[in-house]
Amino acid sequence: MIDDRLQAIINFIPQTARVADIGTDHGYWAIELARKNIFVIAGDKNFAPCIAAKKNIASAGLSIEVRQGDGLKILRAGEVDTVCIAGMGGSLICEILSNSPDILETVDKIILQPMNATDKILSWIEANDFFVADINLAEVGGIIYEIICASKNISDVKKIFTKENSPLLKKFLEQRLNKFLRIQSEMLKSSTATQSEKFLQVQEEINLLKIKINRQSSD
């Protein structure tokens, strides 16, 4: 049984896609794709998750290739047209993508669910010949996640991202505001920190989030 976060990722994947599930862990998401008759290769850097994924795939009566290796290096150019990376830090995701430019040359779409550093993900997309096509939100265990779909085809870009009309948007903005308020509170303890460029950025983000939340409240 997959959660709303993984379902939101699946919603970005067309039936005809050839998908790489990078960081497959127990393979549950790859299994769900295969059940929908979507081609998928599952990969993980570590031995234990690969063994767990193989066992779960066998128990589900499915045939999915599981490869152990570092990021996209498990792939050959042209094997897949869609790469999905979920549940990792934003910096690590950017590193994985940057380490395999030959694979990304033959990929049309990347679907990413970072645990943090979303801004780094968006900057990477902008700098690497992809466009942010859509962003959605999903909630699991009280935490709201952003799911980013990026495409090489500018015609895939939605005029209004799905998250902008999500019932989770206000709660997501409030959670993000609380995070930056905590950062601000810690920085206020240091005169050096309050004089830094980062402190100004935190202040700007807080002000922007308050404006967005007020706008949501008035709608």
Side-chain angles (χ1 to χ4, degrees):
M1 184 72 176
I2 62 170
D3 57 31
D4 288 347
R5 176 180 64 100
L6 295 180
Q7 184 59 55
I9 298 172
I10 289 175
N11 291 343
F12 280 138
I13 299 175
Q15 185 69 40
T16 55
R18 297 176 62 82
V19 182
D21 173 21
I22 303 301
T24 193
D25 198 20
H26 290 82
Y28 296 133
W29 184 71
I31 288 169
E32 191 66 20
L33 287 181
R35 283 174 172 161
K36 295 178 181 296
N37 295 316
I38 296 173
F39 175 86
V40 57
I41 296 171
D44 204 284
K45 185 175 182 178
N46 297 310
F47 177 75
C50 288
I51 294 300
K54 288 177 181 179
K55 288 181 178 178
N56 290 327
I57 290 164
S59 296
L62 296 167
S63 177
I64 300 170
E65 186 175 359
V66 179
R67 300 177 184 174
Q68 183 181 356
D70 189 5
L72 304 187
K73 296 186 185 301
I74 65 164
L75 301 169
R76 296 182 294 274
E79 275 193 300
V80 300
D81 53 44
T82 303
V83 166
C84 298
I85 309 177
M88 300 184 195
S91 296
L92 177 57
I93 290 174
C94 290
E95 181 181 335
I96 289 171
L97 295 172
S98 297
N99 284 345
S100 298
D102 56 325
I103 301 301
L104 289 183
E105 281 183 6
T106 61
V107 167
D108 298 323
K109 184 179 288 187
I110 51 177
I111 302 169
L112 311 170
Q113 182 270 296
M115 301 301 286
N116 52 44
T118 301
D119 291 345
K120 286 187 178 181
I121 295 285
L122 298 176
S123 296
W124 186 96
I125 290 169
E126 183 179 352
N128 286 275
D129 299 323
F130 282 88
F131 303 95
V132 179
D134 199 3
I135 303 176
N136 201 1
L137 302 173
E139 183 174 16
V140 178
I143 300 173
I144 300 175
Y145 301 93
E146 284 183 284
I147 298 94
I148 302 165
C149 177
S151 173
K152 284 184 178 174
N153 189 346
I154 195 170
S155 65
D156 290 339
V157 178
K158 297 190 70 171
K159 292 182 179 178
I160 300 176
F161 291 160
T162 302
K163 84 169 191 176
E164 299 303 325
N165 293 315
S166 171
L168 296 172
L169 181 57
K170 184 180 179 183
K171 185 176 179 180
F172 169 75
L173 294 172
E174 289 172 343
Q175 286 186 355
R176 188 169 173 82
L177 174 61
N178 288 334
K179 171 188 171 182
F180 278 94
L181 287 172
R182 288 194 296 270
I183 294 171
Q184 180 193 55
S185 178
E186 288 301 313
M187 296 184 79
L188 284 170
K189 297 175 183 178
S190 166
S191 59
T192 302
T194 57
Q195 299 300 315
S196 67
E197 181 67 25
K198 181 179 178 180
F199 185 75
L200 291 176
Q201 293 171 351
V202 169
Q203 291 281 81
E204 289 176 3
E205 185 68 21
I206 288 171
N207 293 335
L208 181 60
L209 285 166
K210 286 181 177 179
I211 291 169
K212 289 181 177 180
I213 292 169
N214 287 337
R215 191 177 299 150
Q216 286 289 310
S217 299
S218 61
D219 288 346

